[in-house]
Amino acid sequence: MLIENKSIAIVGGGPAGLTLARLLQLKNADVKVYERDFNKDARVQGSPLDMHENSGLAALRKAELLEEFKKTFRPGADKLLIVNEQAEIMYSDHGTKPDEDFGAEHFRPEIDRGPLRTMLLESLAPETVIWDSHFTSMEPENEGWSLHFKNGTSAYADLVIASDGANSKIRPYLTEIKPVYSGIIMLEGNVSKEAAPHIDALIKDGKIMAFGNTQNILLGQKGNGDLGFYASFKADENWPATSGLDFSDNTQILKWFKTSYSEWNDIWNELFENAEAPFIPRLIYSMPSDQSWEARSNITLIGDAAHVMPPFAGEGANMAMLDALELSEYLTSDGYTTLREAISDYEINMRQRAAKATLESLENGESMHSEKALENMLKFFNSHSADTLYK
């Protein structure tokens, strides 16, 4: 095996990094995960994730975790309503979608990020994850790398795998290619169901996609009942700085919403009036579809570090976990004589696969933020499975 007697450092303990660590440990690899969080309970945030049959679920199945996943996912959380700006229901799959249909191509079970992280962490050997390891820099040492962290510690690895997200600090050691702004901003908020009773009654433990003229509100209910939501719209890349908004001031955000979303029903106001501060403006980026670099034997990328993409095809986390699955197979294959050859083939395949998903995401994003967004989405969902767009 190419990685026999090799030390492997995975930088970043998100779903992809932890999945890769699990898959490599099943092959008896020497692997450590360096995560900047202080412990397993820190910074578990964001919307639930839906797992796709041929990517996220395939990785969990290979990791021998599918049965554990079935105990942890949230049945029915993938059920969808499409509404207009007046909160009138235009599409619903609540009466037709089963709570559980594992093995079906379009079944996309949802799981909260915290339970997913816990499940993956518990599958790893003790001391696999090195917490409070905020990567700062690295330099070549022997055939590998000497890594340095903000807490003053250092570590050596023969192979470094970047799983540290869209703003990866390791990616520049491999390529100078940077992500490109898509033109879309998603203003993220979180509100308790008690503080948004009308929306809570509407969402029914599932998710909502609300479309107006070039503007969206996208919501998903979390396992604890909270509503995670995004006001999604087109804006200049420096809008967070030039808007003049204090994102920790709900009064300002509500005023902005009433002005910018002036045609929307007052039912939506309770989201912005009662959300937990601060709101977070998330600029949506993607990697160029033609990105390429020369493969190396001691460094590679997975997930957003390799191919950040918009969320409008539901592929981000799933592509990342598929990266973990495929990279583990390339690294443990007997079909290569050198690590560089194995990594090169992985990266070529990964970039091609990610480019297709990115293009689909960009096209969906344009459709969702057009003047005929509601019409476009109803046509799409009435002719396709409701599982093929946005999560």
Side-chain angles (χ1 to χ4, degrees):
M1 187 169 66
L2 290 171
I3 55 175
E4 188 174 2
N5 299 320
K6 299 283 188 181
S7 57
I8 300 172
I10 299 171
V11 179
L18 296 178
T19 299
L20 179 58
R22 165 66 174 177
L23 291 167
L24 291 176
Q25 285 190 344
L26 288 174
K27 298 287 188 176
N28 299 313
D30 176 11
V31 57
K32 294 291 185 183
V33 178
Y34 295 92
E35 168 55 45
R36 67 178 181 174
D37 286 352
F38 286 104
N39 57 51
K40 65 182 180 63
D41 300 313
R43 208 174 52 88
V44 179
Q45 59 186 9
S47 299
L49 299 171
D50 63 337
M51 297 287 99
H52 301 182
E53 174 62 24
N54 296 317
S55 48
L57 288 176
L60 291 175
R61 189 176 294 110
K62 189 72 173 182
E64 301 176 3
L65 293 173
L66 184 60
E67 292 308 311
E68 192 63 31
F69 175 86
K70 290 180 180 180
K71 301 175 186 177
T72 311
F73 87 105
R74 292 177 48 224
D78 58 328
K79 294 183 179 179
L80 172 69
L81 298 176
I82 295 179
V83 305
N84 61 16
E85 63 265 54
Q86 300 306 313
E88 298 169 330
I89 298 174
M90 312 300 288
Y91 172 95
S92 171
D93 63 11
H94 281 248
T96 58
K97 180 177 286 187
D99 285 347
E100 181 174 330
D101 195 15
F102 284 94
E105 180 182 358
H106 295 299
F107 178 54
R108 296 186 171 183
E110 299 214 2
I111 186 170
D112 287 299
R113 293 170 186 260
L116 177 61
R117 172 186 258 189
T118 297
M119 180 184 71
L120 290 167
L121 286 172
E122 291 178 349
S123 75
L124 299 175
E127 310 302 324
T128 297
V129 179
I130 312 300
W131 301 100
D132 188 25
S133 297
H134 189 159
F135 175 87
T136 57
S137 64
M138 65 185 189
E139 69 267 347
E141 180 179 335
N142 300 324
E143 298 299 317
W145 298 91
S146 180
L147 297 91
H148 307 292
F149 304 98
K150 191 174 182 179
N151 62 11
T153 63
S154 299
Y156 173 82
D158 295 298
L159 171 61
V160 173
I161 300 169
S163 183
D164 53 341
N167 298 313
S168 172
K169 293 183 179 180
I170 293 177
R171 181 182 170 92
Y173 289 86
L174 184 60
T175 174
E176 296 180 355
I177 300 171
K178 296 181 179 180
V180 179
Y181 179 54
S182 70
I184 296 171
I185 291 178
M186 300 177 72
L187 184 63
E188 180 180 358
N190 189 75
V191 65
S192 69
K193 62 180 182 180
E194 291 82 9
H198 296 94
I199 300 299
D200 179 59
L202 181 65
I203 200 169
K204 299 176 181 177
D205 296 324
K207 54 188 178 181
I208 292 174
M209 302 172 70
F211 296 105
N213 179 3
T214 75
Q215 299 164 322
N216 311 161
I217 297 179
L218 310 170
L219 307 95
Q221 193 143 32
K222 301 179 181 181
N224 64 358
D226 286 356
L227 302 171
F229 65 94
Y230 300 87
S232 186
F233 53 93
K234 287 190 171 183
D236 188 82
E237 190 172 8
N238 59 3
W239 177 84
T242 60
S243 66
L245 293 172
D246 178 355
F247 295 104
S248 64
D249 185 337
N250 286 31
T251 301
Q252 286 191 31
I253 301 301
L254 178 61
K255 182 179 179 181
W256 164 83
F257 173 73
K258 288 181 175 181
T259 301
S260 299
Y261 283 61
S262 59
E263 298 177 358
W264 288 61
N265 192 287
D266 288 346
I267 189 176
W268 304 106
N269 292 353
E270 63 186 16
L271 295 175
F272 298 87
E273 185 174 12
N274 301 316
E276 300 172 4
F279 287 80
I280 303 174
R282 299 199 179 278
L283 281 69
I284 305 304
Y285 290 89
S286 65
M287 288 298 176
S289 60
D290 60 349
Q291 66 169 335
S292 184
W293 57 80
E294 184 176 351
R296 299 172 64 176
S297 63
N298 58 8
I299 182 173
T300 190
L301 314 169
I302 64 173
D304 284 351
H307 48 61
V308 64
M309 64 184 69
F312 306 119
E315 293 292 354
N318 284 280
M319 286 292 102
M321 293 175 73
L322 185 55
D323 291 346
L325 172 57
E326 293 188 349
L327 179 57
S328 70
E329 293 178 340
Y330 279 103
L331 293 178
T332 58
S333 171
D334 293 328
Y336 298 96
T337 58
T338 68
L339 268 176
R340 184 182 180 280
E341 292 172 352
I343 290 173
S344 178
D345 278 4
Y346 155 74
E347 290 178 345
I348 290 170
N349 179 67
M350 173 269 291
R351 288 193 296 260
Q352 292 175 344
R353 169 169 48 78
K356 292 179 182 179
T358 299
L359 179 60
E360 180 185 0
S361 298
L362 289 168
E363 290 175 346
N364 288 347
E366 285 299 312
S367 183
M368 292 170 68
H369 296 85
S370 70
E371 293 180 357
K372 296 184 177 180
L374 180 62
E375 179 182 335
N376 292 341
M377 293 301 102
L378 289 175
K379 182 178 179 180
F380 180 91
F381 279 96
N382 284 318
S383 60
H384 296 77
S385 165
D387 291 316
T388 57
L389 181 71
Y390 187 74
K391 168 61 218 73

